[in-house]
Each structure stands twice: as structure tokens, then as C-alpha cells.
Amino acid sequence: MRKLNKPSRNVNDILDTYSTQRKNIFSEIDLPALKDHLIKCEKKYQSFAELAKLHEIKNLPCSGQELLPDFYEKYFLKQTKLRKIYDEIKLIPQNSECPYCGIVKGADLELDHYLSKKIFTEYAITPQNLVPCCAQCNKSKLDKNASCQEEQILHPYFDDFASEEQWLFATCTKDYDAIIYICKAPESWSQVNQERILYHFNTFNLAQSYGMLAAQEIREYDWLVKDYLYNNDREGLVHHFYERFLSLNRRYINYWKTALYQLLVKEYEHYETIFRITIKALCKAARMHE
């Protein structure tokens, strides 16, 4: 998970930017009253989010808010002036890195409604409820609504679990034929935070995603490892992996690459097995998807 800076825009900016050159979607309602309502909802959203209690937030009906999901789809995504705000939020993550999974997917990010726009219509255009993420994470999350604090996925604008103590680890199977990622929060954390990070990890199926990425990373090191081992320089290879681990760890302690190189430093006695079998497993998986 990656912590993000909050959007600089607010819901009032979005409604003020809205152009009525076409059909005015709000023509039959009291727009000033709706604005006032949405601004109050936005403040409430922030106060609940800062306490990690968005699961407790309730709908506060107001005339016109039922139009907001449609407004989001037809205007916020398509009208030129509003699209600029949409794109501003999409560009918040560095290098298009999805904050939910921490992976750079090499494609445009989407905006996920942290609280579903179908259920919580009043937050359909609230910028702090719009999280830029990859399509895979957006699909995994769907419109799930947390029923308790432990079922809240991490909120990139309000939670910072990425830079705290280590909770993401990599290990090998018994036969060293695969890299496995596990989520293990420190015992010093509260029970709620321990369960939240595990829920987030499972919701986005990070073990599988990270495991595949680790196998690909190992495949790219195939010839380098063979060269070190051929020259009987295991110590040099361990040092290489250790330097890589230190570099990654300085930036992100809870990152799939950091955990992988941490594992490789520890498992230096099994390099031949890890690199031989894992590469074969990756090639087999690739053939199955052809």
C-alpha cells in the first residue's frame, strides 16, 4: 500500500467547474442547498476517515444527490473542464503506481470510489473518496462495503501502513520451487490494525500478484546468478542481493521487491535450487497461458 497526498480539489470546485452549456442535470433542484449538503458531507467524510471509521458513516439524504452517480459518469469523466480535475487526481501517485497494491502496471490508473457511489451517492464526486488505482484492484474491490473497522481496506489518503514496521514478508516453499508472500503484522500493533492489513492483503490477492512478480524478477537474474556461481563467488552474489535489499528498504520497507531480496540474502545456501526450479515453474505457467 502507498500513502498518497490528498487531492487539492474539493466537491465545491467540481460543482463550480460544471458547465451548463448542455442539459443542466441539476435544473429541477435547489443546487445551492445541494452544494451546502455535499460540503458538510465532505467534512464529515474527512473526520471519519482520519479516525479509520468510514464503516460507521451513514447516508444523509438530500434532494439531488441521487443524480451524482450519473453526473460522475456522464460529466465528470467526459466534460473537458471536469475531466481536467479527474486527470489531476489520477496523476497523484508517482509513476502511475497503484496505491492499493503498490505495483506499477504501465497503464493509466482508474478512479475507485472508496465508498461505493451506488450506496453512498453523496460521495460520488467527493475528491477524497476518489482513489487512483489500477484496473485489477478496482475490479477486486468492487462495491464491497465494510461492516466493521477490521474490514476496511487501507485508505491511501488517510492510512500510512507502508512506511511503518514491516508486515510484508517473502518465504520459499519447502522444496524451494516457489516464492510465497505472507502478511504478518507486528504484535505491537492493535488487533484492529493487524486484521485490517490482512484484510487488505487478501482483498487484492497480493500474495498471488507478488509471487508472480517475484518469479519474473528471478528469471531476469538467471544469467547473473549462473555467472556468480560458475566463478564460485557466492559471497559476491549475496553482497549484490544485500545491496539491492538495502536500496529498496530505504524507500519502501513493505514492498514485494524488498521482501524478495531480503529472502534471497537469507537463503544463500539454496540459490541453485531457487533459481533453477522457480524459473522452470514460471516458464510452465507462461506456457499454460498461451
Side-chain angles (χ1 to χ4, degrees), residues 23-287:
K23 177 184 176 182
N24 186 350
I25 195 172
F26 300 118
S27 60
E28 298 180 3
I29 66 163
D30 186 346
L31 184 56
L34 177 62
K35 272 189 178 183
D36 184 62
H37 171 72
L38 296 180
I39 291 171
K40 291 179 181 177
C41 286
E42 186 173 47
K43 291 179 179 178
K44 183 179 71 169
Y45 183 98
Q46 178 162 336
S47 64
F48 273 71
E50 288 173 347
L51 296 172
K53 292 187 176 182
L54 282 175
H55 66 289
E56 295 181 357
I57 211 161
K58 305 296 182 183
N59 283 306
L60 294 175
C62 176
S63 177
Q65 71 180 44
E66 70 280 357
L67 300 173
L68 294 178
D70 194 42
F71 174 82
Y72 176 86
E73 297 292 343
K74 292 184 178 180
Y75 296 89
F76 192 47
L77 295 180
K78 299 176 181 179
Q79 196 179 82
T80 303
K81 292 182 179 179
L82 287 172
R83 179 73 193 194
K84 289 181 179 178
I85 299 178
Y86 176 91
D87 289 337
E88 282 179 17
I89 300 174
K90 279 180 38 175
L91 291 174
I92 291 176
Q94 294 184 352
N95 305 316
S96 296
E97 188 176 58
C98 175
Y100 286 144
C101 64
I103 300 172
V104 177
K105 296 296 180 69
D108 284 344
L109 299 180
E110 303 176 351
L111 289 189
D112 166 58
H113 288 78
Y114 187 89
L115 293 182
S116 168
K117 66 179 183 293
K118 295 180 181 179
I119 301 173
F120 298 94
T121 57
E122 65 267 48
Y123 300 111
I125 60 171
T126 300
Q128 291 185 1
N129 189 49
L130 303 176
V131 178
C133 69
C134 67
Q136 183 176 339
C137 284
N138 201 359
K139 183 178 179 180
S140 297
K141 179 176 171 288
L142 296 176
D143 291 323
K144 295 177 182 177
N145 183 34
S147 60
C148 60
Q149 194 170 13
E150 292 83 354
E151 290 182 0
Q152 290 182 111
I153 62 168
L154 306 186
H155 199 311
Y157 297 139
F158 297 94
D159 295 314
D160 189 8
F161 283 55
S163 62
E164 293 187 4
E165 300 172 83
Q166 186 175 6
W167 51 262
L168 180 65
F169 298 88
T171 186
C172 290
T173 57
K174 183 178 179 181
D175 297 325
Y176 295 92
D177 59 351
I179 306 296
I180 299 174
Y181 281 83
I182 59 175
C183 174
K184 185 179 180 182
E187 294 182 0
S188 59
W189 286 16
S190 69
Q191 187 65 31
V192 168
N193 282 345
Q194 289 184 38
E195 294 188 27
R196 277 192 73 194
I197 193 67
L198 182 60
Y199 184 81
H200 183 100
F201 185 80
N202 291 333
T203 295
F204 297 109
N205 199 17
L206 298 185
Q208 180 177 351
S209 296
Y210 293 166
M212 195 65 181
L213 288 170
Q216 292 172 345
E217 183 83 358
I218 284 176
R219 186 179 188 181
E220 292 176 3
Y221 267 94
D222 183 29
W223 286 106
L224 176 68
V225 172
K226 286 180 178 178
D227 187 52
Y228 270 105
L229 296 180
Y230 178 80
N231 290 294
N232 199 29
D233 188 12
R234 188 181 297 271
E235 183 176 337
L237 184 55
V238 174
H239 179 73
H240 176 85
F241 287 147
Y242 183 65
E243 290 294 316
R244 184 77 172 122
F245 163 70
L246 288 179
S247 177
L248 292 164
N249 193 55
R250 288 190 183 100
R251 187 179 183 192
Y252 293 131
I253 187 172
N254 292 298
Y255 179 39
W256 69 267
K257 281 189 179 181
T258 307
L260 172 62
Y261 287 100
Q262 182 184 49
L263 171 68
L264 292 176
V265 171
K266 293 179 180 178
E267 297 290 349
Y268 62 89
E269 294 180 353
H270 303 283
Y271 283 160
E272 292 91 340
T273 306
I274 292 173
F275 281 86
R276 184 178 69 253
I277 298 182
T278 304
I279 291 170
K280 287 182 178 180
L282 178 61
C283 293
K284 181 179 179 181
R287 288 195 297 271

